[in-house]
Amino acid sequence: MATNGGKGNGNGNTLPKIQTKKSDEICHDDSGPPVKACTLDELHSLQKKKSSVPTTPKASAAAAFSDDDRQKQQLQSISASLASLTRETGPKVVKGDPSATKKVETPQAAVAHPKHHSHHHVVPTNLNISDSALKSTHILYNLSPAELYEQAIKFEKGSFITSSGALATLSGAKTGRSPRDKRIVKDETTVQDLWWGKGSPNIEMDEHSFLVNRERAVDYLCSLEKVFVNDQFLNWDPKNRIKVRIVSARAYHSLFMHNMCIRPTPDELDTFGTPDFTIYNAGQFPCNRYTHYMTSSTSIDINLSRKEMVILGTQYAGEMKKGLFSLMHYLMPKRHILSLHSGCNMGKDGDVALFFGLSGTGKTTLSTDHNRFLIGDDEHCWSEDGVSNIEGGCYAKCIDLSREKEPDIWNAIKFGTVLENVVFEEHTREVDFSDKSVTENTRAAYPIEYIPNAMIPCVGPHPKNVILLACDAFGVLPPVSKLSMSQTMYHFISGYTALVAGTEDGIKEPTATFSACFGAAFIMLHPTKYAAMLAEKMKKHGATGWLVNTGWSGGSYGSGSRLKLAYTRKMINSIHSGALLRANFTKTDVFGFEIPTQVEGVPSEILDPVNTWSDKKAYKETLLKLGGLFKKNFEGFVNYKIGADNKLTEEILAAGPNF
C-alpha cells in the first residue's frame, strides 16, 4: 500500500497529513458569528418576526389605547360572543396555539418573557369565576393562510397540500348545502318582514329552539382546547359595510372565510369592536333531534333579532357563505339597497353589466372577460352610489375544470386557495378535476385578487345592462332578446333555466327549473319586492334588460344543438358596446320578445329560433308548452300587490307569455 510519508498510528498503517492554507499564519474562518441563542427554543423563537406596526395613522380614539388595552378589549369581546346564556358569562380566553405555548395557565411567565412568544399574545380576560372559566379556551385570531395551513395539516385529517400549492380538504358527510335544515326565527319583526308560506325558502323556528341550539353550539366550542375566530367585513361599499365574526372549530372553515369575506387591515382590526353579526360554526357536533323544529341531526339557524347564526351537524363551508348572503338580503333592502345574486363586470369606459343565471347558464364564464374588469362573480349590492361586491373572494365549481376552458380559475388554484372534496394523485398530489369519487360538487375558494383583472376595491358605477341568462334545453327561446321593464321584472321573478334529466328508461328530456330572483334559496323578502327595487333602479339610471339563451337551438335537447359560446360572446360584446341597442328588432309570438334582425359575427338565421327548427309544428307545440310552465310557476305570485295599487302587478303579469 502506498504511503505519503505520514507517521504511523501504531498498527503499521499511516494517515495523510492534513494541509491547511494559511494567510499571514491565520486560518480563514467563513462560519460567521454565532447565533444569538442559548437554547433550541430561543433559536426557534428567532424564526418568527413580530408583525410590523401598521403605517396607516390611527384615529385619535384608537391611539388613546395601548396595545395591551386593545388586546384585553378584543379578548373580552370574543369572550362575550361565546357567553353562555344560562351562565351569563363567557369562557376564560387566551390568545395563541396551545401546542406552541408553554405554561399558558401562568400568564405572568408570558409577561416576563414576551420575546419567547409569537405575536399571538397570551392575555387572559378578567372575568368572574364560573363553570366555563375553569378552563381556558385558546383563541386563534385572524390567522394568516400559512398559519391555517399548519393547523389543518397538523390537526385535521384529510388535509393535504396539492401540487399547485392549494389546501385540499374534506367537508365530511355533507358535500353541499342542506336547505331543508335551514331555519329562520319567526318573531314579532320577522313575521311581518319576511316571506313565509308556500314557495318561500324561509322555514320557521321559535326563539326558544334557537337558544337551545345556540347553547349547544357554544358549549361545544368552549369545550375545545382552541377555536378559530375571524373578524371580517361584508360589502366593499364603506358606507354600508357589515362587521362579521366567525367562530369555528376547523382551520378549513377559518381559511375558507378568510378568503370569502373582506379581509381587514391591522388598523381596522384594532378598531373592529363589537361585530354586527356572529356565526357559531359547531358543524362537527349534531343538533339534538328532540329539539322542537329539528328534522335531522343538521340545523342551520338564523336569528335576525339577535344577529346570530348557528351551524350544527354539517361541516360544509358553503353554509356560512350563503347564510351571510341571506342576512344581506334582509339588511340591505332596509337601507334601500338592492342585494343581488349575480356576476358583475365593468368595461374600460366604466360601463357596468350585471349577469343573473342559475347553475349551468354560463354566468361565471360570461362575467369573466379578459377585456373587462371583474367586480365580482356571485353576490352584489346596488346602492345610490353604484354597485359593490359583498364578498372578498370567489367560490368556483371545479368539476371538469381545465386550464383551456377556465384559465383564470385554474391559475387561481394556488397557495391560499381552499379545494373542497377534490381527488388527487397520491404521490404527486396533482388534482384530477374530473374525478367525482367524493362528490360532483367540488369547489375552490380563493381571494378575488387571485383573478388578474379583478377590480380592487370591488365597486363600480351604476349598471347600464342587466343580463338574464337561461340555458333553455327546450330550444325555443331566442339567443338574445331585449326586454321591456315589465318583462325584465317578470323574468327576474321567474328565474328560469332548463336542466336535462335522465328518466328511468334512459330517455333524456328537458326539465324546467324556476328559482325566484335567480336565487330563491337565499332571499328573505317576497320576490316582487326585489323586482320592484330592480325596476326602480334600472329606470332611474337608464339600464336596459336583456334575456340571453345559452342553451339549445334548432330543436330541444337530443335533436337540436347547443348554441356556440363564440356566438353568445359576440352577442354579449354587442350589448356591452351599445351596438345591439341600436339594432332593428322584430317581435316574437307567445313571449313577445324583441329580437334583433342582425348581430355582427352571428348568423342572422339563428336569431329567431323558429328558423332553426325543421319541424315548425313541433316548435310551436314546444313553445306553448314552455309558456304554460312559466304561467304555472307564476301562479304563486299573482295575488301579491306591489305598491299602493295593483297597477304594477298587472303590468308584470301582462309581460309574461300570452296565448
Side-chain angles (χ1 to χ4, degrees), residues 71-88:
Q71 289 279 342
K72 183 177 180 180
Q73 190 179 62
Q74 200 175 66
L75 286 169
Q76 286 176 335
S77 173
I78 294 170
S79 180
S81 292
L82 286 166
S84 161
L85 297 177
T86 54
R87 291 184 289 273
E88 298 182 348

Side-chain angles (χ1 to χ4, degrees), residues 328-453:
M328 296 298 278
H329 270 311
Y330 174 73
L331 292 180
M332 292 299 103
K334 284 182 169 292
R335 302 184 185 186
H336 305 289
I337 296 169
L338 177 59
S339 48
L340 301 165
H341 188 212
S342 69
C344 183
N345 65 24
M346 183 176 74
K348 294 171 184 176
D349 295 328
D351 57 298
V352 169
L354 294 173
F355 293 82
F356 295 89
L358 301 178
S359 179
T361 59
K363 181 181 69 171
T364 301
T365 301
L366 294 171
S367 62
T368 305
D369 187 331
H370 290 288
N371 297 314
R372 297 173 66 83
F373 298 106
L374 179 69
I375 293 176
D377 75 327
D378 195 42
E379 303 174 9
H380 293 88
C381 288
W382 189 350
S383 71
E384 286 302 307
D385 297 321
V387 292
S388 58
N389 191 349
I390 290 174
E391 302 180 296
C394 302
Y395 193 35
K397 289 184 177 180
C398 290
I399 195 66
D400 295 324
L401 179 69
S402 69
R403 188 194 300 270
E404 295 71 30
K405 288 193 296 184
E406 300 285 358
D408 284 345
I409 297 175
W410 180 277
N411 292 328
I413 298 176
K414 57 186 179 181
F415 181 82
T417 297
V418 176
L419 278 175
E420 282 181 334
N421 302 315
V422 298
V423 176
F424 50 83
E425 202 279 326
E426 184 177 17
H427 177 61
T428 65
R429 300 292 197 263
E430 289 186 7
V431 178
D432 181 357
F433 289 109
S434 65
D435 197 314
K436 306 173 186 176
S437 297
V438 179
T439 179
E440 189 170 334
N441 188 34
T442 53
R443 296 270 184 166
Y446 48 85
I448 194 166
E449 56 264 31
Y450 281 16
I451 299 297
N453 59 332

Side-chain angles (χ1 to χ4, degrees), residues 623-652:
L623 180 63
L624 292 173
K625 177 183 178 181
L626 181 60
L629 293 172
F630 267 87
K631 280 179 171 286
K632 183 178 180 181
N633 171 71
F634 219 82
E635 287 174 0
F637 308 117
V638 294
N639 295 323
Y640 200 91
K641 294 183 180 181
I642 303 173
D645 54 34
N646 206 30
K647 184 179 178 182
L648 190 54
T649 308
E650 291 172 355
E651 289 179 4
I652 295 172

Side-chain angles (χ1 to χ4, degrees), residues 6 66 76 113 115 194 245 282 296 387 426 463 512 519 582 591 598:
S66 68
Q76 286 176 335
H113 303 285
K115 69 178 182 179
L194 269 56
R245 172 169 291 164
S296 74
V387 292
E426 184 177 17
R582 300 186 294 269
F591 282 91
Q598 191 173 356

Side-chain angles (χ1 to χ4, degrees), residues 96-385:
D97 183 358
S99 65
T101 307
K102 296 181 179 180
K103 299 182 180 179
V104 295
E105 299 300 336
T106 56
Q108 293 82 3
V111 175
H113 303 285
K115 69 178 182 179
H116 293 167
H117 295 268
S118 69
H119 61 278
H120 304 291
H121 300 290
V122 180
V123 184
T125 55
N126 184 16
L127 299 168
N128 295 327
I129 296 299
S130 66
D131 291 345
S132 60
L134 295 177
K135 66 174 283 296
S136 293
T137 300
H138 289 77
I139 303 300
L140 301 184
Y141 183 70
N142 275 50
L143 296 191
S144 68
E147 292 170 305
L148 290 168
Y149 266 50
E150 291 168 4
Q151 290 290 324
I153 297 298
K154 285 180 185 177
F155 303 112
E156 295 179 13
K157 191 174 181 180
S159 298
F160 298 89
I161 301 175
T162 66
S163 59
S164 67
L167 180 70
T169 187
L170 295 171
S171 65
K174 302 279 187 178
T175 58
R177 291 182 298 104
S178 303
R180 293 182 181 178
D181 294 310
K182 182 181 174 184
R183 302 282 185 273
I184 311 290
V185 173
K186 194 173 187 178
D187 55 26
E188 293 178 357
T189 301
T190 58
V191 70
Q192 299 296 330
D193 291 348
L194 269 56
W195 177 28
W196 303 102
K198 184 179 179 182
S200 169
N202 303 317
I203 305 172
E204 69 176 275
M205 73 184 307
D206 60 24
E207 175 89 3
H208 176 76
S209 298
F210 175 85
L211 295 179
V212 169
N213 282 352
R214 183 195 185 277
E215 195 79 352
R216 191 172 177 89
V218 166
D219 282 349
Y220 169 75
L221 291 166
C222 291
S223 73
L224 302 174
E225 192 175 29
K226 63 187 178 188
V227 296
F228 299 89
V229 176
N230 292 40
D231 280 348
Q232 295 183 253
F233 300 115
L234 297 177
N235 198 352
W236 284 84
D237 175 4
K239 294 181 183 178
N240 296 288
R241 193 165 64 175
I242 303 296
K243 298 186 293 183
V244 293
R245 172 169 291 164
I246 304 100
V247 185
S248 58
R250 292 191 62 181
Y252 148 50
H253 291 149
S254 185
L255 181 57
F256 177 91
M257 295 307 281
H258 169 90
N259 290 347
M260 294 311 303
C261 294
I262 299 167
R263 293 158 288 283
T265 65
D267 281 337
E268 289 170 334
L269 276 183
D270 280 346
T271 57
F272 192 85
T274 303
D276 299 315
F277 194 82
T278 303
I279 294 178
Y280 301 97
N281 189 339
Q284 289 170 290
F285 199 65
C287 67
N288 186 340
R289 296 188 65 173
Y290 284 99
T291 303
H292 194 35
Y293 294 100
M294 299 301 102
T295 55
S296 74
S297 60
T298 298
S299 192
I300 304 99
D301 310 325
I302 296 176
N303 189 324
L304 294 169
S305 298
R306 288 187 57 86
K307 303 174 183 176
E308 293 176 336
M309 176 178 176
V310 171
I311 299 175
L312 291 164
T314 173
Q315 297 179 62
Y316 182 66
E319 296 288 9
M320 295 182 287
K321 166 187 159 67
K322 290 306 185 184
L324 291 176
F325 191 32
S326 294
L327 170 73
M328 296 298 278
H329 270 311
Y330 174 73
L331 292 180
M332 292 299 103
K334 284 182 169 292
R335 302 184 185 186
H336 305 289
I337 296 169
L338 177 59
S339 48
L340 301 165
H341 188 212
S342 69
C344 183
N345 65 24
M346 183 176 74
K348 294 171 184 176
D349 295 328
D351 57 298
V352 169
L354 294 173
F355 293 82
F356 295 89
L358 301 178
S359 179
T361 59
K363 181 181 69 171
T364 301
T365 301
L366 294 171
S367 62
T368 305
D369 187 331
H370 290 288
N371 297 314
R372 297 173 66 83
F373 298 106
L374 179 69
I375 293 176
D377 75 327
D378 195 42
E379 303 174 9
H380 293 88
C381 288
W382 189 350
S383 71
E384 286 302 307
D385 297 321

